[in-house]
Amino acid sequence: MQPKGIVRKFNDNGRVAIPIEWRRDYGLEDAGVMVEVLATKQGVLVRKYEPACVFCGSMEQLENIEDKKVCRKCIDKLKK
C-alpha cells in the first residue's frame, strides 16, 4: 500500500479526524472500535486493537483469564 498523506489541524481538545476512506481501508469505520495509539521513532501509529496473549503476544487460541487474554500454549506452560 502506498503511503497516503494529508494535513489536518488538532482541535481545541487535541483531537484530529481520520478520513473516512482510511477508516474504511483499515476496518475502523464502526463507532466504538478500539484502537491502539503508539509512539514510534517515526511518529504516532494508530492501529486497530487486536487482543493478544499477555505473555507471548500470540493472537491464536486465546482464552480469558481474570480479564486477561492468555493463549493455549502459555496456559499449558503455566500448568507445568
Side-chain angles (χ1 to χ4, degrees), residues 53-64:
C53 176
V54 295
F55 295 109
C56 71
S58 172
M59 295 188 343
E60 297 179 13
Q61 297 180 319
L62 296 175
E63 296 189 25
N64 282 320

Side-chain angles (χ1 to χ4, degrees), residues 2 6 9 16-17 20 27 33 40 42 51 63 74-75:
Q2 290 290 332
I6 190 167
K9 284 196 295 187
V16 64
I20 187 64
V33 68
T40 71
Q42 291 78 30
E63 296 189 25
C74 288
I75 291 171

Side-chain angles (χ1 to χ4, degrees), residues 18-72:
I18 299 171
I20 187 64
E21 297 84 9
W22 293 5
R23 297 194 317 262
R24 284 184 189 130
D25 287 349
Y26 295 101
L28 304 173
E29 71 271 23
D30 295 331
V33 68
M34 300 288 287
V35 296
E36 288 182 281
V37 181
L38 305 163
T40 71
K41 289 181 180 181
Q42 291 78 30
V44 176
L45 171 66
V46 178
R47 66 182 178 196
K48 189 172 186 177
Y49 173 69
E50 298 288 345
C53 176
V54 295
F55 295 109
C56 71
S58 172
M59 295 188 343
E60 297 179 13
Q61 297 180 319
L62 296 175
E63 296 189 25
N64 282 320
I65 299 177
E66 303 269 335
D67 293 326
K68 303 288 186 223
K69 301 287 185 189
V70 182
C71 73
R72 174 55 42 200

